[in-house]
Amino acid sequence: MSAWLAAAYAALALGLAWVVAGGASWKVRAPYVVLAPALALALWLGRPDAAGWPSVAALPAHAQLHWAVVDEPDPATSDPGRIYLWLDVGAAKPRAYSLPYSRQMHEQVQRALVQLKRGRPISVSRVAHRSRSAKGGGGGSGASSVRFDAAPPPGLPPKTR
């Protein structure tokens, strides 16, 4: 939790205690009573992603894929679709990430899942976007920003004498 968010929650709680305690007249407390719900709503809408919900933040530079789910677009409901990745980023638990759907990413994820089912670890890396070259290659318009590769075997620690 960020410092400003903690301070805003503290101000909301202290103000509520002040209003309930009734230390000042209602004319002084009325602006807080009116503004407190707006502050609470702003805090709710501005909260960071809660644990368990997929993050829309940028993927880490390198991670290991635990699993993925593809939610294909549905024209009947105007759902654009999403791709969900559960990545091991070095924390105690995997972190879920939500990416916009693309057919190319869908195919990459399906190939990675096949490898995972075969027991092969898959590493995920973020690919830097490059500007188009002067040669005018038009095939890069749907390029993915994520790359799936077979993870290298785990290295053994160095021997000590």
Side-chain angles (χ1 to χ4, degrees):
M1 182 183 312
S2 68
W4 76 267
L5 190 59
Y9 276 118
L12 186 63
L14 289 173
L16 181 60
W18 177 63
V19 167
V20 170
S25 71
W26 274 104
K27 290 180 183 179
V28 174
R29 291 183 286 167
Y32 181 80
V33 172
V34 172
L35 295 176
L39 178 61
L41 181 63
L43 287 172
W44 176 259
L45 295 175
R47 75 192 185 286
D49 291 335
W53 290 99
S55 173
V56 293
L59 292 175
H62 300 285
Q64 188 162 348
L65 181 67
H66 270 278
W67 199 250
V69 173
V70 177
D71 183 16
E72 292 189 31
D74 185 5
T77 61
S78 299
D79 180 12
R82 298 297 291 179
I83 295 177
Y84 301 100
L85 303 176
W86 281 264
L87 303 177
D88 180 359
V89 294
K93 296 179 182 176
R95 180 71 176 116
Y97 290 88
S98 175
L99 304 172
Y101 179 87
S102 74
R103 187 68 190 159
Q104 180 184 7
M105 179 68 71
H106 182 168
E107 292 168 358
Q108 288 179 358
V109 166
Q110 291 303 322
R111 286 191 296 269
L113 287 175
V114 167
Q115 295 302 316
L116 274 179
K117 288 178 184 177
R118 292 181 180 162
R120 298 184 185 122
I122 300 295
S123 68
V124 178
S125 56
R126 195 177 44 202
V127 178
H129 290 288
R130 297 181 185 176
S131 61
R132 291 187 181 196
S133 66
K135 295 180 182 177
S141 62
S144 170
S145 62
V146 180
R147 192 168 121 187
F148 299 90
D149 294 310
L156 297 175
K159 291 183 179 180
T160 58
R161 292 185 183 220

